[in-house]
Amino acid sequence: MSTVYRQVTLSNTYNSSKSITGFILLGFTYTGETQKLLFMLLLTIYILTLLGNGSIICAVCWDKRIHTPMYILLANFSLLEICYVTTTVPNMLAYFFSETKVISLSGCLLQFYFFSSFGAAECLFLAIMAFDRYLAICRPLHYHIIMTKHLRNRLVVNCWVIGFLWYPVPAIIISQLSFCGPKIIDHIVCDPSPILVLTCTPAPKIEFTCSLLSSMILVVPFIFIIGTYTLVLKAVLRIPSGRGKRKAFSTCGSHIVVVSLFYGSAMVIYMRPRSGNEAETQKIVTLFYTMVTPFLNPLIYSLRNKEMKAALKKVLGHENESLCKRYPLSSS
């Protein structure tokens, strides 16, 4: 079945059923073996993402040695990643083998709200994680005086709260609009751009507001991160020993990689000029920062961090096994 024929069929199915209110979330239009392979790949990545980020949360909660601001922030970030992928991936997987692919208007707007809110919170968490690294490297003697438990908790709460207060207005406004046409969203998630295309009358102000909010929550924390790491780089270059420089860079390396992956893909989807193959490009890039980045985060942080490796081994029981081998019980 061709893509065009499939869209027409879905559209006719939707329009002929008066009991269905909402949209058709088209998703990926692959068929046959390609569809099955993509489904298995995404399901595997989703499960590994849950396990990887869940392991980091357990490691930070159970190992008191790493109850420091850096790892508390990392645990919250991992929880955020789990919530982030869960808002979209289960629906995405279910629609692979769905004939109608129908999602209600309220369901679509809820997905947009939570997906966007978790994304906004992620931008803020990346910014305060950069601030934490700045204090550790540039103000080491005052680190524990500045980054107190009270300040850490306030920063964490503010990230969650501001993230969830960033997008309710656009979601409420969009819910009041009327929609015409086939009501097919040619995307893998309920994003504002393909939704607003389906309105009965153009809504440039709403589209501008959504774009402005997305740009602000991306650009402002990103500028803060760039400024923070500029100061960190200047401080590191003043360290006389090569070993000290390598240690300083290693504490920031994981975070820089995560920032590059997240912001690189997010800015491509929200801030690039429109092209002819808009829908397919949006799907691929959205899939990358929706699934691949959260999947890679636990690997990036655990592989480059000795303390996190030790904590994960403790959670998995490897530490107890090594202690038994090193200090075997006597057979008396």
Side-chain angles (χ1 to χ4, degrees):
M1 182 183 295
S2 65
T3 302
V4 175
Y5 178 74
R6 185 179 180 83
Q7 291 184 16
V8 171
T9 304
L10 288 171
S11 176
N12 292 335
T13 302
Y14 179 89
N15 291 327
S16 63
S17 178
K18 295 180 180 180
S19 62
I20 298 176
T21 56
F23 304 101
I24 298 169
L25 192 60
L26 197 60
F28 292 104
T29 54
Y30 303 113
T31 57
E33 292 299 320
T34 304
Q35 185 180 21
K36 293 178 182 178
L37 288 174
L38 186 58
F39 172 82
M40 292 304 301
L41 176 63
L42 297 184
L43 178 61
T44 303
I45 292 176
Y46 178 59
I47 293 173
L48 293 177
T49 300
L50 297 182
L51 292 175
N53 286 284
S55 298
I56 287 180
I57 296 171
C58 292
V60 174
C61 291
W62 294 346
D63 195 338
K64 294 182 179 180
R65 295 173 299 180
I66 58 174
H67 282 188
T68 61
M70 174 182 175
Y71 294 106
I72 297 296
L73 293 174
L74 179 57
N76 277 272
F77 189 73
S78 296
L79 175 61
L80 178 65
E81 295 288 55
I82 291 175
C83 298
Y84 190 55
V85 297
T86 304
T87 58
T88 57
V89 176
N91 272 350
M92 193 189 306
L93 294 173
Y95 288 166
F96 263 92
F97 301 104
S98 172
E99 291 296 327
T100 59
K101 298 178 182 284
V102 173
I103 183 170
S104 65
L105 174 61
S106 58
C108 191
L109 291 177
L110 281 174
Q111 187 188 75
F112 154 64
Y113 171 69
F114 283 106
F115 177 72
S116 301
S117 297
F118 287 128
E122 185 162 351
C123 294
L124 298 173
F125 266 108
L126 289 172
I128 64 170
M129 290 168 80
F131 175 66
D132 177 72
R133 293 300 84 206
Y134 160 77
L135 291 178
I137 294 174
C138 299
R139 306 286 296 276
L141 299 179
H142 301 89
Y143 177 80
H144 294 288
I145 298 175
I146 299 173
M147 185 58 77
T148 60
K149 183 178 180 180
H150 177 67
L151 177 60
R152 180 201 70 200
N153 292 340
R154 284 184 59 186
L155 290 172
V156 169
V157 171
N158 285 339
C159 286
W160 286 103
V161 172
I162 294 173
F164 277 89
L165 291 178
W166 200 256
Y167 282 100
V169 173
I172 293 172
I173 294 174
I174 293 174
S175 68
Q176 306 302 315
L177 299 175
S178 56
F179 299 90
C180 301
K183 299 187 180 181
I184 295 176
I185 300 177
D186 192 8
H187 207 337
I188 59 175
V189 296
C190 287
D191 207 48
S193 297
I195 294 176
L196 292 173
V197 172
L198 305 176
T199 55
C200 296
T201 57
K205 292 183 179 179
I206 300 176
E207 189 170 2
F208 174 77
T209 302
C210 292
S211 298
L212 180 63
L213 289 173
S214 298
S215 299
M216 285 178 61
I217 201 64
L218 279 170
V219 173
V220 174
F222 184 67
I223 292 175
F224 178 82
I225 293 170
I226 294 297
T228 299
Y229 275 117
T230 300
L231 298 176
V232 169
L233 180 61
K234 290 181 179 179
V236 171
L237 293 177
R238 289 197 296 265
I239 298 176
S241 66
R243 183 179 179 182
K245 290 180 180 179
R246 287 192 296 272
K247 184 177 180 180
F249 277 125
S250 66
T251 61
C252 303
S254 300
H255 185 254
I256 292 173
V257 173
V258 171
V259 168
S260 301
L261 288 172
F262 177 79
Y263 272 98
S265 55
M267 286 185 174
V268 166
I269 196 68
Y270 288 111
M271 303 184 68
R272 65 181 176 81
R274 296 185 180 275
S275 60
N277 197 18
E278 182 75 15
E280 288 304 314
T281 304
Q282 279 192 342
K283 290 179 186 180
I284 294 170
V285 180
T286 302
L287 181 66
F288 183 84
Y289 78 79
T290 302
M291 292 197 67
V292 178
T293 303
F295 165 68
L296 292 176
N297 285 349
L299 296 175
I300 294 169
Y301 279 108
S302 61
L303 292 176
R304 296 180 59 88
N305 192 300
K306 293 181 180 178
E307 291 178 330
M308 182 53 66
K309 283 182 183 179
L312 288 172
K313 287 181 179 178
K314 185 177 181 180
V315 170
L316 297 174
H318 292 174
E319 188 173 274
N320 291 334
E321 292 179 7
S322 62
L323 286 174
C324 290
K325 292 179 180 178
R326 190 177 300 177
Y327 305 109
L329 296 174
S330 61
S331 57
S332 57

